Structures are given as structure tokens and as C-alpha cells.
Amino acid sequence: MNAFNKGRREFLRVSALAGGGLLLGFAVPVKRGFANDSREQNFTPNAFLQITPDGTVTVISSKSEMGQGIYTGLALLVAEELDADWNRVRVEAAPVADVYKHPWFGRQATGGSTSIRSEYDRYRRAAAGARMMLIAAAAQRWQVPAATCRTEAGRVLHDASGQSATFGALASAAATMQAPNEITVKSPDQFRLIGRRQQRLDTPVKVTGEAEFGLDVSVPGMLTAVIARPPLTGAQLQSYADSETKKIRGVRGVMAVRAGVAVLGDSFWEAKRGRDALRMEWDDGPYAGLSTAQLREKYARLAEQPGRETYRSGNVEAAFKEAETVIEADYELPFLAHACMEPLNCVADVRADRAYIWNSTQSQGRAQQAAADLTGLPLEAIEVHTTFLGGGFGRRDASDFTAEAVELSMKVGKPVRVVWTREDDTHGAYYRPMNLARLRGGLDREGRPVAWTHRLVGASILHAEGHWDPDEDVNAVDPTSVDGAANIPYTIANQAVDYHPVDDGIRIHWWRSVGSSVNGFVVESFIDEMAAAAGEDPFEFRRTLLKNSPRELGVLELAADKAEWGTPLSQGRARGIAVHQFGGSYVAQVAEVSLGSNGEPRVHRVVCAVDCGVALDPDNIRAQMESGIAYGLSAALYDEITLKEGRVEQGNFHDYRVLRISEMPEVETHILESGAALGGIGEAATPPIAPAVTNALYALTGTRIRRLPITRTQLANI
């Protein structure tokens, strides 16, 4: 039977089973503590929103809130189509259920700057259907045609008679209305909330301290575990001694687990002290001699040979033979950690027939699956409660910290919270891949680019994720690795891009803007080098080559205009420019830099122009541009993960720097509303900032920075 045509009796039966409300094309999963008032009073038209008799509209977020503003973004979509009172809107994290699976990923997850893009239609249609049912309830009550009613700020109004009713007052009646067969959403010219600044819904609880992050979760009878993990990739535990550990007050147990040796205590500090007292013997394994220097040599050797063809146009070889000028450059980028502010953590309570997980995760689907694999329980018996995330950047998409909590809870028969120290995460977790890029460019006599080659060497995240085997699929490449390299916006007739996937035994994972975090720097640095070789202004050079890329051209011109490109700066300052596309959004940045008395670069101002198609909330777009710039600047100026004798040399924020408040430049963001397809904003600002800065340093010093992070060593000849 079609869900849109169910009779009232069938509706009541199904909605009672589903946790309250009306099915509108989506099943409503049971969520403990959510649909807990009278089901006849609440209006739950679908899996994404509920209206209670007091007029509160609760939006159920299928995406994790990690500071990117997605709770507010999804709520904005619902409030717009529902015509809700923004002051009566709240958000709850969704449980794990098929209806909340990412429409593109096939699992419940948050990432890739896809949250709003993937849910834009689904959440709007859900809310528009609910609005139509509220109008139907009001029209029936007042005995007027539904077409003569309208909605505004949480009310249904009938102007002709002067009657009105709140959504809360209509909730019970609306729940009995037949779901609409056809749903019409608003056109952009009808928007009242989208496109305007809104109060973020997660700000008040974060200011007051009421917000629950993973580390805030406390379950009765819970133990806290800290795990001693291998000191390097591939190391195996040989033995351990825990006599000193067991003497520490508050330590409740020591046991070997898959990740190493776990110490359980009444609190984190007791468990950590217990772990510090362990005496362990490790077999260092096959990567004991691995070093960053060795990997650099390996990558350089690979770059001498052709890789897997990724993109080709024209006749590259002939174009180079005819070129007047040929330039070459190698660029190197290091492994990078995610450096989330909130350390990794998870609470698990595994029982005979059910498991409960409290998790600051980007991937509820993976967390649930990891628990199912360990416990043997069916997926529906595993509840995942998502808290706020203190940063994610791709790291919290993994399920390793979830599996550890589940394993320990199974072993001890109690709820267990696993906490990673920052050193745990920095020393032995997941990293953005190290990369080497070799580029070659040819210019004709007029200084126009006629040939371009780009060779990439680096590990494949899709291979690490198990989605692609480069040995079996010898003609394919990882599209996430070559993103931003195989699709450059510049009009150059003859291009060739190839790729060497490598596996160094180092665990790698998604990192903010993925391959574009590498290729944005490489491409925008080399295009600047070509401009210099042609004797052209870097902005004008790009402008000419972007004639077939109107959105890149639009943000480039806007950023240059707002930064007053070409006008004099004060002594000792220079500007650099870069443009890049990620996640369907186009960003150009102009960085203004100087050198401090200690010889290190200082970024004073960044002018950022962004075209994300539709600007849902301009304030949040500006916040995300600032966030992406800060994150990218930390990596450009300071960050790298280096290996010595197989061990990671960095550990905490003292040697893996995060940009300090005093180092943050003034950021000026300008939004170009093109009306094009919706783009993501969480990662798009990160790729252009490093090349904008290094290009400015070249303009200031004449020195090219081809290896990140920027160091005084590279500027030593100034």
C-alpha cells in the first residue's frame, strides 16, 4: 500500500509502532527520550521534524554538529518551508536508521562538505508537506478552503475571517490529516529566512555549558579506560607488567585488547596514571626504520617515471617541443594530523541483547557496524547517541575509538568510556597523506601557457578505506587524490596528469578538503610561477586563463577588487592570490603578508570571495571561511607529521602548532551569489590559503616556497 494513501486506521497503527506522528514517505524510527509525550498530541509528519502542543518545532538532524553549523542549517531549511517561528525551533541528533543514511554515501555520515547539498531537497520537502497538513487541519476546523489559508511565524492564518491558530494548537488535528500526494516547495523569491542572518541554535547551550560533548557523557557504573597503543605502525605487543599499575588507587583493571593494553579506572586521570606505570615490551615490526627522509627519496624516485594516466588533452609532447620557455618545479607536502580540540572518546554499554553507544562521531553508520561486528548483535539492537563534536575534520569518520569502547564493555560487563590523549591521536592515528608533485609547464613566445604536466605521488585514501585496490584495477586512479589536479580551471590546450599511488604502511584518512588540500597548493603555486616566467601580473595571468571558467573568474575578480589588487602597500608587505573549487563552491583569496623580526611570515589580512551558489546563512558562510583559513594557515605555517625510526616525532600542540589567536589575520569575506547549484562551505576555504600566502612571500622576497610547512630555512637567503 502506498504510504501516501493509507487510511486513518492504518496510520494510527503504524505511527504508534513508529514512535508517533504520520508517515510522509519516510519511516519514523523509534528514538528513546524523543517521542515521549502523548502520540495523539505530537505532530510527527516524517522522520525529520516534530511539532509538540506547545508549538516547539524539533528538527531531527541526520548530520553531526562539529562546529560547522549544520544543526542551524538543516533547521533553517525546515523553518523556511514550514514557516516556523525561528524562536520555537530546536534540534536533536538523529538515531541510527536507514532513513537517515546519507543519500550519496549509503551510510549515515557527515563529511565532504555535502551535508546541506545532500539534504537540501529532502528536508525542505518534509517541512513543506507538514505545512500543507497543518493548513488542512486549520481549514477543516474553520470550514474554509485550504487555499484561502496561509502560514506565517508558526501560525496558520485565515485573513478573510481573521482566524488564526498556532502550529502547536493544530498539531493533534494535523496528525490525522491525509499526507499530500504532491508537495510543492517555495521558490527562492518566497524565502523569508534563507539568505538572512540567523541566530545559531547551538550557540546558547555551548555558552552556558549545557551542550553535551562526548567527554561530558556519564553513565552510572561507568569505568574509564586509557589504552597503551603500539609505539609505531606495525608494532606487536610481546609482554607487559602491571604490578605497579595495580598499586595506583582507583585503577580497576588491566587487560590486553586488540589495540594494546587497556587500563581501567574510576576516572581518566587514574587510568592514565595506571597506563604510565605499565612496563611493556614491543616487537617494533616491519616499519622500525622508516623515516620521512626515506619516504622523500622514494617519492622522488617514483616521480622520475610515468604514473597512471589521469587526464590528457591535446598533444603535450609536441607542445613542449615548440614552447619558447619551459619551467619545472617539485612540491612537497607532509603527513598532517587532524588536531581536533576534543580528544577522541566513546562510551559503550554492551548488554546481552542490546548495546548503547554515546559518541562524538562523524559516522553513526560505521560506529553501529563496528559494534555489530564485535558483539554479533543485529544492527537494530545497537543504539548510537550522537553528541556534539569538538572538531572532526575527517578523523571522527573512523570507528576505531568506538570499537575499543565496545570491546572493553563486553570484557568487563560494565559501561566503559575510552579516552585518547592528544599524544595518542598524534602519535599513532590517521593522517592526511604525504605527497610529492612534479610539474612542468611550457610557454609560447607571447608568454601564453601551451603545455602543462602534473605528476602526483602519494597514498590513496580510497585504497586505505578498502574501496579501491590499485593492484587489481591497474588503469584506475583514486579521484579523491587527484581532485584539484585533474580538473584545473585554466584554459591550457595540452595537459597531462598522472598519479603514483603508494602504500607506506602509515594509516591515512580523510582530512579537511582531502586531495584539494594538496593540489590547491600545488596548482596555484605553479600557475604563479608560470605568470612570473611570462612576466605577467599573477591576477591578470589567471584572469586570462579563466575565460572558460566563469565561477572561478567571478570570485577571482571579486577578491582582487576588494583587496585593491595592484595598489601600493606599506613597506615590507606584499599580496598573493589563489583560487580553487571544492565541494561545488568556488573560493578566491588574497593574502597580505610580511616577515617578522624573527624572519617568520606574518599574515595580516585575507580577503576571501566565495560563490557557493545559494547563501543559506551569510554569517555561517563567513564563519566557515574564517575557520577554513585558520585551519589551512596552521598547516601552511607550522604543521607536519615526521617519522624517525618509524615513530612519529610530534605529540601535542607545543610541537604540532595550531594557529594562536594573536596570529589570526583579519579575514574579510565577500559572498558572490551566482544562483548556481548549491555548494558546500565546510572545506572550500582551506585549499587556497597556503598558495595565497606563499605567492605573497614570493612577491615580497623573490623566494619560492615549494615545501610545506613554511620554515625560516626556506627563507634563509633573504
Side-chain angles (χ1 to χ4, degrees):
M1 182 183 292
N2 189 310
F4 292 96
N5 298 316
K6 290 182 184 292
R8 184 177 179 188
R9 182 173 298 179
E10 176 69 1
F11 151 72
L12 291 173
R13 185 186 70 80
V14 176
S15 61
L17 292 173
L22 173 68
L23 299 182
L24 185 61
F26 308 107
V28 185
V30 174
K31 185 174 190 297
R32 293 177 183 271
F34 172 58
N36 52 7
D37 359 43
S38 168
R39 289 175 178 145
E40 292 185 356
Q41 293 177 329
N42 289 344
F43 177 42
T44 308
N46 50 61
F48 302 115
L49 69 111
Q50 183 187 64
I51 303 172
T52 49
D54 65 358
T56 298
V57 176
T58 299
V59 177
I60 312 304
S61 175
S62 61
K63 302 293 185 280
S64 302
E65 176 59 75
M66 47 190 155
Q68 82 278 36
I70 193 58
Y71 275 13
T72 304
L74 292 178
L76 186 58
L77 299 180
V78 169
E80 179 65 76
E81 291 295 341
L82 190 63
D83 279 330
D85 178 354
W86 186 250
N87 295 316
R88 307 287 304 191
V89 177
R90 61 189 289 271
V91 182
E92 282 195 12
V96 185
D98 285 349
V99 70
Y100 298 117
K101 284 183 177 179
H102 195 295
W104 304 346
F105 296 169
R107 60 183 170 88
Q108 196 167 329
T110 307
S113 294
T114 63
S115 293
I116 291 293
R117 290 188 291 155
S118 66
E119 299 291 6
Y120 188 65
D121 292 330
R122 194 157 66 149
Y123 271 74
R124 289 177 65 206
R125 286 179 57 80
R131 171 171 46 84
M132 294 168 71
M133 295 169 72
L134 288 162
I135 288 175
Q140 185 182 78
R141 176 178 295 182
W142 301 328
Q143 295 298 295
V144 299
T148 63
C149 299
R150 64 184 179 89
T151 49
E152 181 180 324
R155 304 182 73 88
V156 179
L157 301 96
H158 186 247
D159 294 330
S161 64
Q163 297 184 91
S164 71
T166 65
F167 288 173
L170 293 167
S172 180
T176 68
M177 293 294 105
Q178 182 174 333
N181 288 311
E182 294 185 9
I183 297 174
T184 302
V185 296
K186 294 181 180 179
S187 59
D189 63 312
Q190 296 175 301
F191 290 163
R192 299 177 181 179
L193 298 174
I194 290 176
R196 294 171 176 81
R197 179 186 182 277
Q198 305 298 335
Q199 171 75 37
R200 273 187 61 150
L201 299 180
D202 56 329
T203 297
V205 293
K206 289 178 177 177
V207 170
T208 61
E210 297 172 83
E212 184 180 61
F213 290 83
L215 284 174
D216 297 321
V217 173
S218 181
V219 177
M222 179 180 75
L223 296 174
T224 296
V226 179
I227 298 174
R229 295 181 171 81
L232 72 164
T233 297
Q236 296 293 321
L237 180 68
Q238 299 298 295
S239 63
Y240 69 92
D242 58 10
S243 57
E244 294 302 312
T245 295
K246 290 180 176 178
K247 293 177 183 178
I248 295 173
R249 183 177 178 181
V251 169
R252 301 302 177 193
V254 181
M255 61 186 65
V257 291
R258 296 185 308 164
V261 180
V263 177
L264 297 107
D266 292 332
S267 71
F268 165 76
W269 288 111
E270 290 161 333
K272 183 182 181 301
R273 287 181 60 219
R275 185 187 70 171
D276 293 345
L278 285 173
R279 296 294 175 261
M280 292 171 289
E281 296 290 333
W282 298 88
D283 177 345
D284 284 350
Y287 303 107
L290 192 64
S291 70
T292 298
Q294 288 177 340
L295 292 178
R296 291 183 66 199
E297 292 175 2
K298 171 185 172 181
Y299 286 23
R301 289 194 303 270
L302 284 170
E304 296 290 337
Q305 304 296 324
R308 298 165 185 244
E309 186 172 289
T310 301
Y311 177 79
R312 179 172 285 271
S313 65
N315 190 329
V316 177
E317 294 75 14
F320 271 116
K321 288 179 181 178
E322 296 175 6
E324 181 72 14
T325 304
V326 175
I327 64 172
E328 298 179 346
D330 284 1
Y331 298 90
E332 296 182 69
L333 295 98
F335 292 111
L336 290 176
H338 298 81
C340 303
M341 189 61 68
E342 180 192 15
L344 298 172
N345 63 89
C346 179
V347 173
D349 181 5
V350 179
R351 305 178 187 180
D353 59 351
R354 198 160 193 87
Y356 304 89
I357 296 168
W358 292 263
N359 209 345
S360 52
T361 179
Q362 285 180 247
S363 185
Q364 294 83 357
R366 277 188 167 167
Q368 187 188 54
Q369 187 64 58
D373 291 343
L374 282 168
T375 62
L377 292 170
L379 291 174
E380 59 270 20
I382 297 167
E383 293 186 19
V384 178
H385 302 265
T386 307
T387 66
F388 284 112
L389 284 63
F393 315 119
R395 175 64 182 96
R396 283 187 156 90
D397 178 70
S399 60
D400 51 343
F401 51 100
T402 303
E404 291 170 356
V406 170
E407 180 185 4
L408 280 165
S409 180
M410 290 172 63
K411 286 179 178 290
V412 301
K414 292 183 177 182
V416 173
R417 172 171 61 190
V418 166
V419 179
W420 291 48
T421 67
R422 192 169 309 284
E423 288 82 0
D424 291 341
D425 197 23
T426 306
H427 284 155
Y430 292 93
Y431 307 105
R432 196 277 307 270
M434 175 178 166
N435 276 263
L436 181 142
R438 177 161 294 176
L439 280 86
R440 192 168 180 245
L443 300 160
D444 65 14
R445 291 184 179 182
E446 286 73 41
R448 293 176 301 219
V450 294
W452 172 287
T453 64
H454 185 164
R455 179 163 297 155
L456 302 87
V457 183
S460 161
I461 297 175
L462 286 185
H463 174 49
E465 290 276 282
H467 299 311
W468 173 55
D469 187 340
D471 294 327
E472 291 183 3
D473 200 352
V474 295
N475 295 316
V477 298
D478 176 353
T480 68
S481 294
V482 301
D483 185 35
N487 54 333
I488 67 171
Y490 300 107
T491 302
I492 302 173
N494 307 288
Q495 297 182 41
V497 181
D498 60 53
Y499 168 54
H500 284 286
V502 297
D503 185 351
D504 303 312
I506 306 300
R507 294 198 298 179
I508 60 169
H509 206 57
W510 314 112
W511 192 90
R512 195 172 190 171
S513 74
V514 200
S516 281
S517 70
V518 172
N519 299 320
F521 169 69
V522 171
V523 170
E524 287 302 294
S525 295
F526 195 65
I527 206 75
D528 226 64
E529 296 207 35
M530 293 187 80
E536 293 281 342
D537 173 84
F539 163 62
E540 295 294 348
F541 189 75
R542 286 174 170 81
R543 194 180 192 184
T544 301
L545 295 176
L546 291 174
K547 60 185 179 183
N548 296 322
S549 302
R551 297 184 72 183
E552 283 96 345
L553 180 60
V555 292
L556 181 83
E557 291 180 332
L558 180 58
D561 176 61
K562 297 299 183 181
E564 300 179 289
W565 184 270
T567 62
L569 284 168
S570 58
Q571 178 103 19
R573 292 196 183 189
R575 298 185 185 98
I577 194 167
V579 62
H580 193 79
Q581 180 273 137
F582 181 83
S585 289
Y586 299 75
V587 176
Q589 293 168 3
V590 176
E592 185 178 315
V593 307
S594 70
L595 289 180
S597 58
N598 60 0
E600 294 193 356
R602 175 65 192 259
V603 184
H604 300 275
R605 180 186 182 211
V606 177
V607 176
C608 176
V610 54
D611 172 6
C612 55
V614 179
L616 261 67
D617 184 336
D619 252 21
N620 195 48
I621 291 171
R622 293 186 181 95
Q624 284 302 290
M625 293 300 105
E626 293 167 6
S627 168
I629 287 166
Y631 199 74
L633 264 182
S634 294
L637 296 174
Y638 306 121
D639 294 343
E640 61 180 334
I641 292 293
T642 57
L643 300 168
K644 184 177 181 180
E645 296 181 352
R647 289 163 169 78
V648 171
E649 296 185 281
Q650 293 71 31
N652 209 317
F653 287 146
H654 69 287
D655 54 8
Y656 191 88
R657 287 281 307 276
V658 172
L659 202 71
R660 304 319 195 235
I661 292 176
S662 62
E663 298 168 319
M664 182 67 188
E666 173 190 350
V667 177
E668 183 181 312
T669 297
H670 301 274
I671 301 169
L672 194 163
E673 289 211 57
S674 63
L678 193 72
I681 59 167
E683 300 166 88
T686 298
I689 187 59
V693 169
T694 56
N695 292 339
L697 286 171
Y698 172 76
L700 182 66
T701 68
T703 297
R704 285 288 178 193
I705 305 297
R706 298 190 179 110
R707 183 182 176 191
L708 295 181
I710 302 164
T711 64
R712 275 184 284 179
T713 303
Q714 297 182 77
L715 299 170
N717 63 336
I718 299 170

